Structure formats: structure tokens, C-alpha cells
């Protein structure tokens, strides 16, 4: 499920579940309707205009009711990496360059999740699962697609890089793993067959996954991207790129720092800045260090007149509104000026948010999607302004409205509930594709996939959000998704058309991967496509994990590996399984797995909404008629009811190192429970400590009843503060450590804590963000890993030769060494050593969100873009001591 943002709504995801009735849907599906209804009530009750001056100056800290939990996830992912200030361009590139010269330990990583992941696995039809929704085999978010007429398809993961298929989809091969960035903004084939890869995902307009520029592969059918394939210089480093457009011998790039262009013939030389609405906020400008700088020059798309490449229309604007939002074109004097009138297509600052253009092959049509900042803040049901066509073929129109929220809602959409209707996530979900042979045949991507064959007069929904709510749906495991046709995963981002052996297909990319169907497909009796094919065959793994947990398989054949995922629930891989299943739906956050029994699993949805199972949530759906047959239980502590005020979106949960039945969860309070997996109610947690109003935990660790909790609040760069509290699990002895802003520990985000199991006063802490060389902010400091031997009174910097890159996860290893997961790699510090090594070989260059050790002697890495990997710790040996 792609749920609505809960932080502003103040809802709980752990409310007592109503007793299911004969037509009961899984809880995640029920919850979407509930959230939507409350969202609509809240908006109608008190929401006013979105374009206040305060909001315009406030940058990315967005308090509006944006209906997508990915908005909050991305904001917080960004906060952890940027607070307390603004990060200068080039930070990731510098860290990657240092990484190339570092020594590696012996051994190689093994790919754990390189298997198909069936979101509809019939084994897992419990109350918290989305199985039977119809999405089938999934992978992580796909944000770029290109395809040709020879069966070659290229798919780009949000943080997983580019994959190639030679068979029209499937049997994928990674072809960009040597690049410093695997974050995909756009993929395009030009007229000569070269593949252009724009790095830096831009779906939210934030800076969570900045890239290192644009790369070109001259022979994409056989080659692989190399760092030397970059176009131009470093001008587009540390930007996000929404679109590439080609015309007149130039490529145009819509980026988070304005619109740029470059020759397509000579790929050397710098990019040219064509237009930035607020140039003083660009790097080197007078306002470059302003916290709102990343949001002051956002370009979304570029439309070029096919008859005259000198006529260009720019779509500029931050999704939540700013005074510079609008459409721009060149005036006679060469300057870029606002365009005031485009027919039905609104041009006011409050109307122009995220925009996507698409042109027909014959040049007779231009289409556009427009998201409205005003509607985003005031409309209880949708942020969509509309879908438009220019029948002149000119980007300057006149434009005519051909679809709005109500028209799409009536076309077979699954989104019928108040507060969650078509376009509610249009700031995040957009694609447009015109049939190359029919200018009136168009595919439109929002949360769902829509289609028109008559230029927008009539629409169908070939790819509904899911099948819950349709009369054809059934939870019966024998029917996979009832009598409904399989659909795509929700939340659409990318589209392309390609052919294999003369058969033409449309390819769509979304939060669940890549799917295809015949370009001129067929519909079932319900008006939905009956010919979708998932291309997520397990050879493409772009899964975005937040967490991983490992335990012995109760069947005795090996281990169970589980992990929480962005928008793909919790995956579970049993020993000897050839296909992964999904036992919990929605967003999967942190997780706890019993090392002695891998089917004892606790999964956090978001904001500490924790559910627990003791049988891997195996269920045939019988709970829909008999509530006592549910095999998972909601056990969220009370802070979950407060949404973002009570906990981080991805809030930390852990077990005590010496007592597996003692669990610690961090929200505003530090919560403790002592029943382990036998817990059945959120009331069984007790609050050991109140971190204070406005403070929420970012990391927790516990050993022998001694607990440490890192916190932030505010957590963004507007007054960022952080701290560490420590005390006992029974609620006694709690106090805040003295952490001055200008002390040894940096004033940055506390990302991970680890306690020596032999001495609870011996503790380690890791910090995210960048050191002061890159971060302009109070107390940004230096270093990422620190050690205390006196319970936090004094600290020693252990960072040594670590690259200056956000650190995400600390793990103390059985041999006394330390493992560290960062945004670029996993590192190892041997016992007694001073310097660090890269752990092994073959781990893709992507974010390592969490490291866990398994009962099988393996170290597991949950990456946010390339799945889960394992490393045999025996290959580390006992380490060595540095001579110095």
C-alpha cells in the first residue's frame, strides 16, 4: 500500500482492528480508506491557501496534508543527511573518489534477494498482508525506462542503477554498477541509439538521492556505463534530474538547479545554464547557504516545438508552491519570461507544481499533466489540476482540458474513497506516453495507469491501484487475486514503448518495479487490463530495504531472512524457498526477528505501528470470516497514535542484547516491553523515559537492561538539535548526556548506537550527514563513528580514514571488530585497528541502511536500492592491529 502521509494527519496506524466481516479486506487496504476519510475531513475543516509567504521561504519542510507517506519518508531521509545545514555540491562525489583507493577485506558478498518476490504469495494472506491485491511479482521503485524495436529494454531503479534486458523484459543485467551514483532520474534513447542516463531521482523535488550528472552509453546493447561516460563537467553533480529532452542538436535537462543544455554531438565541455528562476540560491550565489536553497530552482519538464526547436516552454516550480512557479519562454531580448496564457492550462503560481509533457511522434499533439500546489493544500481528494492536450502540436497551445480527477475516478479507478482519489499523489506520480503510431492513443500514469484511445474524450483504467474493493476480488489463495485480472503495482513513475519480433508493448515503472502489456491491449469485463505481465523475475533487484532480520528456519533447513521495504511491505524468504513472499503490507520499516526461530517476526509499518507474528504470518485468509484465525497482532506503543509528533517515520526498535524478551522502541518516549514475541497488545509497553516535547528517537540500543537512545528535534536544519539519553529498562537512572554543540560529537543526526555486551558503559555511536567541510550549519563537526568507555561522559573519534559520507548502521561483530553501513559501502574496523577497510567485493554502491548478524555466521546488509546481501564473517579472520 502507498498510504497517505500520516505525520500531518496525526493518525495512528495501530488502532484496534475492527472485527472482520464476510467482506473484510486486509487491514492495510481498510486503513487506506480510513486515512483518506480523515484526511478529507481535516482538509475541509481548516485548510486554507497554500502559497503563504512563510511557506515560500520555508523550503522543503512541508506541513501540508500530502497524501503519500513517501513524502515524509523522503523528507526524513533528507534530514538525516543534511541537518544541521545545507550540504555543498560534490560531497558524495568526493566520498566515492576516496572509496576507490581504500583496501578491501577478503571475501565477496552474496546476493540474498536475487529471487522473484511475489507480493500475492498465497501462503501469506493474514490480516496485515496485501497479498491478493493483484500486483504479483514486484521489485523496488523504477524511475526510468527506455526501449527500442529490437527487444532491448532498459530500467533504472530509484537507487539501484540501470538494468538491461535483451528479451523484451526479464533476464536483466546490471550495467551501471561502476558509476558513483545509482539513483535514476531519467533514461532515454536518442535518435542514434545511444542510452542517456540522468542520475538523481527527482520524484519528490527533495534531495534525498542526488546524482553525479548525465552519462551516455554509445553501445547500450553490449556495453556498460563507466565514470568516463559523463557528459560535460561537474555542473550537474549533486542535483536531481526530472527529464531529458532532445531537439536541434541539443539535450535539455530539467534539474533541481534549473534548466541546462548540452550539445549531443560534442559531449565534452561544460553544460550551459539556460534558466534558473532564483540564481542567487545556486551554488556560489549569495543565498546558496539558505536552508530553502534546494527548493528555489526546481525545473520539472521542457516542451520543445517540433516545427521550431528555438521555441521552448519550461515548466518550473516546487510541488508545494512558491512565487516563482510557472511556465517560462524566451522573450525577443533572449530573457526567460513567464507565460501568462495557454488556453485551459492554468499558468498561475498556485496552479503550476509538478508537470510532465509528452509529444506525439508525428508532431500533431502535445499532452501535459499538471499538479496544483493550491489543490495539494486545499482539495480533500486530489492534487491534480488536470490533463491537457494541445492539438496544434505546439507547446504554446492552445491547450484543452481532457481529464480531471472526477473523469478519471469514473473510468474504473480503484480510488473511490474520500480523501484518496486519482491525482492525490500527482506531485509524486506522473508519466505520459503517446502511441508512436496514433497521436490520440495515450497512456497516463498517476497512482494508477489510465488510457485513452480518442485523445482524451474517454478514459479507462487498465492498471488500477489494486483489486481490493472490486466485486471480482477474493482472498481465496487458490485464485491468487480472486476473479480480477492481475494489475500493476501502484504509484507510476516511468513509461516507454518498445517492440520484440514485431509485437509492440508499453512498459510502465512504479513503486513495485516494471510491468508490460501489448500497446493495444485488451480489457476484462470490469474494464481493467487482462494482459499485464510483471517483468520482475528476480534478476532485477532494486528493492529498497530499511531493515533486515535473520533467524533459524523452524523447519530446520537454514535461515529465514526478513526485511522492511519502501512501499513493498515486509519480505520473507524461508530456507529453500525459490520465491520470496510478503507477510506484511504497506511500508515496511524496522524489524525484529528471533534468531532461534525466524518465523517469530515483529514488523514496524511506520511511526512505531508494530505488528507481531509467530508463524511468519502464514494464513489462508480465513480470518475474514473468523477473527480468531488471524495470526498477527497489532502491538504498537502509544506514541504511534501521535504520528510524526510521536515517532520518526522509520522509528527504531530493537531487543536487549542479553535478554531477547526485552524490547526497546523509540518515539517521543523510550518504550520497553518484556514479553518478547508473546506480546499481544500495545498496552503491554511501558514508557521508561520521556525524551521531551518535540524530541523523537532516531536510534536505540540496549544491553543487560542499560538503554541508550539517540534523538533529534527539530530534526530538520531549521533549529536542528540532537542528543543521547541513557538509563535503565525499568525506568530508573535516566539522564541526558552532556553533548555540547561544539563538543567532540558533531551536532548531526544520531543514526546508530551499539553497546559492548561485556560492558554497558562501553558504547559506540554513528552520525549521519557530512562533516563541516561540506555542511554549513552550527556544530556540524567532523567524524562519523565515536566510542565512549564511561557511559557517554567522554568520547573518542574512531573515524580515522573513513570517507566523509553519511553513516547509517553500526554492528559489533563476534570477533570484536566493528562493521559500519554507510550511504556508499560497508566498512570494517578490525579489533585494535585504527583504520577501516571496505568489506569484501561485489556489494553495489548504494545505501546500506542496516547491518545485522545472523545465527548462520553471516553479516547481512539491507540496502536501500539493491536488496539484501550477506557476507561470511569467517572471511574477516581476527583482524590485525595497525603498526601505528
Amino acid at each position: 500500500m502507498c498510504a497517505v502521509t500520516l505525520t500531518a494527519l496525526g493518525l495512528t496506524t495501530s488502532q484496534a482492528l475492527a472485527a472482520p466481516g464476510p467482506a473484510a479486506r486486509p487491514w492495510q487496504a481498510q486503513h487506506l480508506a480510513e486515512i483518506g476519510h480523515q484526511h478529507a475531513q481535516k482538509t475541509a475543516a481548516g485548510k486554507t491557501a497554500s502559497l503563504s509567504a512563510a511557506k515560500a521561504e520555508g523550503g522543503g519542510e512541508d506541513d501540508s496534508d500530502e497524501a503519500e507517506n513517501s513524502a515524509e519518508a523522503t523528507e526524513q531521509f533528507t534530514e538525516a543527511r543534511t541537518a544541521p545545514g545545507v550540504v555543498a555540491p560534490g560531497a558524495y562525489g568526493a566520498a566515492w573518489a576516496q572509496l576507490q583507493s581504500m583496501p578491501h577485506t577478503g571475501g565477496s558478498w552474496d546476493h540474498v534477494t536475487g529471487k522473484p518476490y511475489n507480493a500475492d504469495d498465497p501462503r501469506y494472506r493474514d490480516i496485515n498482508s496485501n497479498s491478493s491485491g493483484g500486483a504479483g511479482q514486484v521489485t523496488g521503485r523504477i524511475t526510468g525506462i527506455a526501449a527500442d524495436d529490437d527487444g532491448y529494454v532498459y530500467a533504472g531503479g530509484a537507487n539501484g542503477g540501470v538494468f538491461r534486458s535483451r528479451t523484451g523484459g526479464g533476464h536483466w543485467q546490471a550495467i551501471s554498477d561502476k558509476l558513483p551514483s545509482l539513483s535514476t532520474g531519467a533514461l532515454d534513447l536518442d535518435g542514434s541509439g545511444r542510452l542517456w542516463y540522468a542520475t538523481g531521482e527527482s520524484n519528490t523535488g527533495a534531495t534525498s538521492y542526488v546524482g553525479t550528472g548525465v552519462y551516455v552509453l554509445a553501445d547500450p546493447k553490449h556495453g556498460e556505463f563507466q565514470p568516463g561516460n559523463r557528459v560535460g563537467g561537474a555542473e550537474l553533480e549533486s542535483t536531481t534530474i526530472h527529464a531529458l529532452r532532445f531537439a536541434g542538436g541539443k539535450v535539455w535537462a530539467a534539474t533541481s538547479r534549473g534548466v541546462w543544455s548540452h550539445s549531443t554531438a560534442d559531449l565534452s565541455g561544460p553544460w550551459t545554464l539556460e534558466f534558473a528562476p532564483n540564481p542567487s540560491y545556486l551554488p556560489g550565489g549569495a543565498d546558496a547557504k539558505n536552508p530553502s536553497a534546494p527548493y528555489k530552482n526546481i525545473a520539472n519538464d521542457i516542451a520543445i516545438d517540433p516545427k521550431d526547436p528555438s521555441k521552448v516552454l519550461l515548466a518550473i516550480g516546487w510541488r508545494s508552491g512558491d512565487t516563482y512557479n510557472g511556465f517560462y519562454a524566451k522573450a525577443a531580448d533572449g530573457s526567460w519570461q513567464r507565460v501568462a496564457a495557454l488556453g485551459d492550462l492554468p499558468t498561475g503560481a498556485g496552479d503550476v507544481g509538478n508537470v510532465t509533457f509528452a509529444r506525439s511522434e508525428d508532431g500533431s499533439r502535445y499532452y501535459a499533466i499538471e499538479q496544483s500546489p493550491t489543490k495539494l493544500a486545499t482539495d480533500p481528494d486530489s492534487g491534480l489540476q488536470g490533463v491537457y492536450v494541445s492539438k496544434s502540436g505546439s507547446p504554446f497551445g492552445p491547450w484543452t482540458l481532457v481529464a480531471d480527477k472526477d473523469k478519471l475516478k469514473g473510468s474504473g479507478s480503484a480510488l473511490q474513497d474520500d480523501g484518496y482519489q486519482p491525482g492525490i499523489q500527482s506531485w509524486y506520480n506522473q508519466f505520459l506516453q503517446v502511441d508512436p503510431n496514433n497521436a490520440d492513443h495515450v497512456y497516463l500514469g498517476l497512482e494508477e495507469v489510465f488510457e485513452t484511445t480518442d485523445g482524451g474524450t474517454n478514459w479507462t483504467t487498465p492498471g488500477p491501484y489494486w483489486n481490493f474493493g472490486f466485486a471480482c476480488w477474493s482472498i481465496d489463495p487458490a485464485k491468487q487475486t480472486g476473479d480480477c485480472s492481475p494489475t500493476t503495482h501502484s504509484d507510476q513513475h516511468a513509461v516507454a514503448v518498445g517492440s520484440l519480433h514485431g509485437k509492440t508493448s508499453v512498459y510502465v515503472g512504479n513503486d513495485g518495479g516494471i510491468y508490460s502489456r501489448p500497446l493495444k491491449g485488451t480489457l476484462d469485463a470490469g474494464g481493467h487490463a487482462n494482459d499485464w505481465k510483471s517483468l520482475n523475475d528476480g534478476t532485477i533487484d532494486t528493492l529498497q530495504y530499511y531493515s533486515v532480520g535473520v533467524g533459524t528456519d523452524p523447519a530446520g533447513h537454514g535461515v529465514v531472512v526478513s526485511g522492511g521495504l519502501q512501499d513493498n511491505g515486509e519480505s520473507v524468504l524461508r530456507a529453500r524457498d525459490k520465491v520470496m513472499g510478503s507477510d506484511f503490507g504497506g511500508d515496511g520499516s524496522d524489524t525484529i526477528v528471533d534468531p532461534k526461530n525466524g518465523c517469530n517476526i515483529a514488523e514496524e509499518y511506520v511511526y512505531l505501528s508494530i505488528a507481531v507474528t509467530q508463524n511468519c504470518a502464514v494464513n489462508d485468509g480465513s480470518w475474514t470470516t473468523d477473527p480468531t484465525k488471524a495470526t498477527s497482532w497489532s502491538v504498537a506503543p502509544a506514541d504511534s497514535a501521535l504520528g510524526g509528533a510521536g515517532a520518526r517515520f522509520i522509528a527504531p526498535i530493537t531487543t536487549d542484547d542479553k535478554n531477547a524478551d526485552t524490547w526497546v522502541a523509540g518515539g517521543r518516549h523510550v518504550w520497553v516491553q518484556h514479553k518478547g514475541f508473546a506480546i499481544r497488545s500495545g498496552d503491554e509497553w511501558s514508557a521508561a523515559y520521556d525524551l521531551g516535547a518535540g524530541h523523537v528517537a532516531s536510534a536505540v540500543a540496549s544491553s543487560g537492561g542499560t538503554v541508550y537512545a539517540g534523538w533529534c528535534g527539530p530534526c530538520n536544519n531549521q533549529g536542528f538539535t540532537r542528543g543521547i539519553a541513557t538509563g535503565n529498562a525499568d525506568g530508573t537512572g535516566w539522564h541526558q548526556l552532556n553533548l555540547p554543540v561544539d563538543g567532540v560529537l558533531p551536532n548531526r543526526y544520531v543514526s546508530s548506537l551499539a553497546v559492548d555486551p561485556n560492558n554497558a558503559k562501553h558504547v559506540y555511536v554513528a552520525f549521519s550527514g557530512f562533516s563541516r567541510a561540506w555542511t554549513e550549519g552550527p556544530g556540524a563537526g567532523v567524524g562519523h563513528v565515536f566510542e565512549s568507555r564511561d557511559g557517554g561522559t567522554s568520547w573518542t573519534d574512531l573515524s580515522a580514514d573513513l570517507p566523509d559520507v553519511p553513516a547509517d548502521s553500526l554492528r559489533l561483530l563476534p570477533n570484536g571488530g566493528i562493521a559500519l553501513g554507510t550511504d556508499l559501502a560497508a566498512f570494517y574496523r578490525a579489533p585494535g585497528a585504527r583504520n577501516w577497510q571496505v568489506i569484501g567485493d561485489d556489494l553495489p554502491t548504494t545505501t546500506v541502511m542496516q547491518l545485522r548478524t545472523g545465527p548462520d555466521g553471516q553479516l547481512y546488509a539491507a540496502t536501500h536500492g539493491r536488496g539484501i546481501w550477506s557476507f561470511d564473517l569467517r572471511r574477516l579472520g581476527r583482524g590485525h592491529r595497525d603498526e601505528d
Side-chain angles (χ1 to χ4, degrees):
M1 179 191 73
C2 294
V4 298
T5 301
L6 306 181
T7 185
L9 303 183
L11 303 181
T12 171
T13 59
S14 59
Q15 297 167 9
L17 302 179
R25 295 184 286 170
W27 175 73
Q28 300 287 6
Q30 298 168 351
H31 193 60
L32 179 61
E34 173 194 336
I35 293 171
H37 179 66
Q38 294 191 37
H39 167 67
Q41 288 182 324
K42 186 174 187 294
T43 303
K47 207 64 175 174
T48 56
S50 66
L51 296 178
S52 66
K55 179 62 196 164
E57 290 300 318
E61 189 60 22
D62 202 339
D63 294 326
S64 63
D65 287 333
E66 293 172 318
E68 199 344 280
N69 56 15
S70 179
E72 184 66 13
T74 299
E75 295 293 352
Q76 295 193 10
F77 197 88
T78 302
E79 290 169 0
R81 286 151 178 79
T82 60
V86 177
V87 177
Y92 277 101
W96 183 83
Q98 181 181 345
L99 178 67
Q100 305 315 299
S101 62
M102 291 190 67
H104 289 235
T105 70
S108 297
W109 290 85
D110 295 316
H111 192 187
V112 176
T113 52
K115 294 177 172 61
Y117 177 21
N118 184 8
D120 288 324
D121 192 322
R123 294 175 292 177
Y124 307 104
R125 295 284 165 92
D126 203 14
I127 192 168
N128 287 296
S129 171
N130 280 347
S131 181
S132 75
Q137 292 184 178
V138 300
T139 189
R141 187 164 70 248
I142 295 295
T143 52
I145 305 176
D148 65 16
D149 290 332
D150 296 322
Y152 285 79
V153 183
Y154 309 92
N159 203 29
V162 183
F163 290 78
R164 172 177 59 212
S165 170
R166 295 184 169 95
T167 58
H171 305 289
W172 300 93
Q173 174 191 9
I175 61 171
S176 67
D177 281 1
K178 295 179 181 179
L179 296 183
S181 173
L182 301 185
S183 174
T184 302
L187 274 177
D188 288 278
L189 288 165
D190 66 15
S192 61
R194 296 178 297 179
L195 182 63
W196 293 68
Y197 178 37
T199 63
E201 182 193 6
S202 65
N203 282 316
T204 66
T207 55
S208 296
Y209 306 98
V210 294
T212 53
V214 177
Y215 300 82
V216 173
L217 188 55
D219 182 13
K221 292 182 178 179
H222 305 97
E224 295 186 14
F225 284 101
Q226 306 289 334
N229 296 144
R230 189 166 74 173
V231 179
E235 299 81 22
L236 302 188
E237 188 167 327
S238 299
T239 67
T240 61
I241 301 177
H242 192 282
L244 298 177
R245 301 297 181 186
F246 301 85
K250 294 201 302 186
V251 57
W252 295 70
T255 83
S256 55
R257 295 207 301 261
V259 176
W260 299 70
S261 70
H262 201 284
S263 167
T264 56
D266 181 2
L267 302 183
S268 63
W271 286 79
T272 299
L273 177 60
E274 295 281 355
F275 176 65
N278 295 294
S280 69
Y281 289 89
L282 294 176
D287 298 308
K289 296 177 180 179
N290 187 299
S292 64
Y295 307 92
K296 287 296 188 179
N297 287 286
I298 292 174
N300 293 299
D301 210 345
I302 302 141
I304 305 170
D305 193 323
K307 302 179 180 67
D308 185 352
S310 68
K311 295 180 179 179
V312 180
L313 183 69
L314 309 180
I316 307 291
W318 167 235
R319 68 181 188 210
S320 297
D322 204 331
T323 54
Y324 74 88
N325 286 33
F327 295 102
Y328 293 78
K330 268 193 176 179
D333 63 0
S335 64
W336 292 91
Q337 301 293 331
R338 289 180 182 273
V339 177
L342 290 170
D344 287 351
L345 184 64
T347 60
D351 301 314
V352 184
N354 191 15
V355 172
T356 298
F357 293 118
R359 180 174 62 85
S360 65
E361 194 77 16
D362 63 6
S364 67
R365 298 281 191 278
Y366 245 112
Y367 292 87
I369 307 171
E370 184 177 61
Q371 171 257 326
S372 162
T374 298
K375 285 184 177 292
L376 177 67
T378 62
D379 190 318
D381 298 318
S382 176
L384 179 67
Q385 185 74 45
V387 183
Y388 304 84
V389 63
S390 169
K391 293 187 177 180
S392 69
S394 168
F396 295 91
W399 291 85
T400 303
L401 178 69
V402 293
D404 57 14
K405 174 261 296 182
D406 291 327
K407 191 169 191 177
L408 297 175
K409 179 182 175 183
S411 71
S413 168
L415 301 182
Q416 301 292 318
D417 295 312
D418 290 345
Y420 212 93
Q421 297 181 11
I424 190 68
Q425 299 167 191
S426 53
W427 58 269
Y428 174 71
N429 302 135
Q430 290 192 17
F431 73 55
L432 272 174
Q433 176 67 50
V434 186
D435 184 337
N437 299 309
N438 182 353
D440 289 327
H441 183 199
V442 181
Y443 278 88
L444 160 68
L446 294 169
E447 304 76 31
E448 304 165 291
V449 180
F450 300 93
E451 182 182 15
T452 180
T453 57
D454 55 14
T457 302
N458 297 286
W459 294 85
T460 58
T461 311
Y465 195 94
W466 52 25
N467 289 324
F468 304 126
F470 294 142
C472 56
W473 174 78
S474 169
I475 203 169
D476 183 355
K479 293 186 176 182
Q480 190 75 343
T481 183
D483 294 324
C484 300
S485 300
T487 184
T488 69
H489 196 286
S490 56
D491 293 348
Q492 312 305 316
H493 299 290
V495 65
V497 171
S499 299
L500 174 65
H501 305 314
K503 296 181 179 179
T504 304
S505 297
V506 61
Y507 299 89
V508 301
N510 48 51
D511 276 11
I514 181 170
Y515 297 75
S516 71
R517 71 182 292 240
L519 181 62
K520 298 179 180 179
T522 57
L523 304 178
D524 61 21
H528 307 120
N530 58 10
D531 46 15
W532 284 111
K533 178 183 179 182
S534 170
L535 304 179
N536 309 306
D537 60 0
T539 61
I540 182 171
D541 183 1
T542 57
L543 290 167
Q544 295 172 276
Y545 282 93
Y546 292 112
S547 62
V548 59
V550 186
T552 301
D553 194 308
H557 301 303
V559 295
V560 180
V561 181
S562 294
L565 287 150
Q566 189 275 328
D567 211 13
N568 282 291
E570 176 104 351
S571 70
V572 56
L573 177 62
R574 300 287 301 269
R576 299 186 179 180
D577 267 1
K578 295 182 179 179
V579 176
M580 295 189 292
S582 179
D583 48 5
F584 296 93
D587 272 275
S589 302
D590 212 347
T591 192
I592 295 173
V593 175
D594 184 350
K596 297 180 180 179
N597 182 345
C599 278
N600 288 340
I601 303 169
E603 185 257 9
E604 178 195 4
Y605 171 36
V606 291
Y607 303 113
L608 287 182
S609 179
I610 302 169
V612 64
T613 181
Q614 291 194 270
N615 75 334
C616 282
V618 171
N619 200 295
D620 62 2
S622 57
W623 60 268
T624 56
T625 54
D626 183 353
T628 66
K629 293 185 177 180
T631 54
S632 57
W633 298 268
S634 176
V635 296
D639 279 349
S640 179
L642 303 176
R648 296 284 283 171
F649 182 83
I650 306 298
I653 58 176
T654 192
T655 60
D656 187 280
D657 289 342
K658 293 186 175 181
N659 184 350
D661 287 336
T662 295
W663 294 6
V664 179
R668 169 177 167 168
H669 299 82
V670 178
W671 295 93
V672 178
Q673 68 95 1
H674 300 285
K675 292 190 174 182
F677 292 95
I679 186 174
R680 291 294 179 267
S681 167
D683 294 336
E684 294 174 271
W685 294 89
S686 61
Y689 184 65
D690 185 347
L691 292 171
H695 298 167
V696 286
S698 58
V700 293
S702 179
S703 182
T706 298
V707 181
Y708 293 86
W711 56 265
C712 60
C715 296
N716 60 33
N717 53 18
Q718 312 270 346
F720 175 83
T721 58
R722 58 84 178 97
I724 300 174
T726 185
N728 299 316
D730 63 6
T732 63
W734 277 89
H735 61 281
Q736 295 281 352
L737 299 181
N738 181 23
L739 304 181
V741 168
D742 296 320
V744 175
L745 298 186
N747 185 42
R748 303 200 309 270
Y749 184 88
V750 179
S751 57
S752 186
L753 291 156
V755 185
D756 184 343
N758 299 313
N759 179 4
K761 288 185 176 295
H762 187 194
V763 60
Y764 300 82
V765 61
F767 286 83
S768 189
F770 291 90
S771 295
R772 60 177 173 238
W774 298 102
T775 302
E776 179 67 25
V782 175
H784 293 274
V785 180
F786 297 82
E787 176 186 32
S788 174
R789 293 181 178 272
D790 53 17
T793 300
S794 60
W795 296 89
T796 301
D797 187 353
L798 302 183
S799 304
D801 59 344
L802 273 175
D804 185 6
V805 70
D808 302 305
S809 179
L810 274 174
R811 195 71 186 174
L812 302 185
L813 301 180
N815 73 344
I818 307 171
L820 176 70
T822 75
D823 273 12
L824 288 179
F827 296 94
Y828 171 63
R829 183 179 185 267
R834 178 180 182 274
N835 290 328
W836 297 78
Q837 298 170 280
V838 180
I839 300 178
D841 295 311
D842 300 330
L843 184 68
T845 304
T846 190
T847 304
V848 179
M849 289 296 294
Q850 191 174 83
L851 294 171
R852 288 274 175 87
T853 50
D856 53 356
Q858 300 281 317
L859 177 68
Y860 287 83
T863 77
H864 200 65
R866 288 294 289 273
I868 295 173
W869 296 70
S870 68
F871 183 87
D872 188 343
L873 288 172
R874 292 174 298 179
R875 297 172 183 174
L876 293 176
R878 296 190 59 82
H880 66 281
R881 291 181 181 270
D882 287 354
E883 293 298 324
D884 56 350

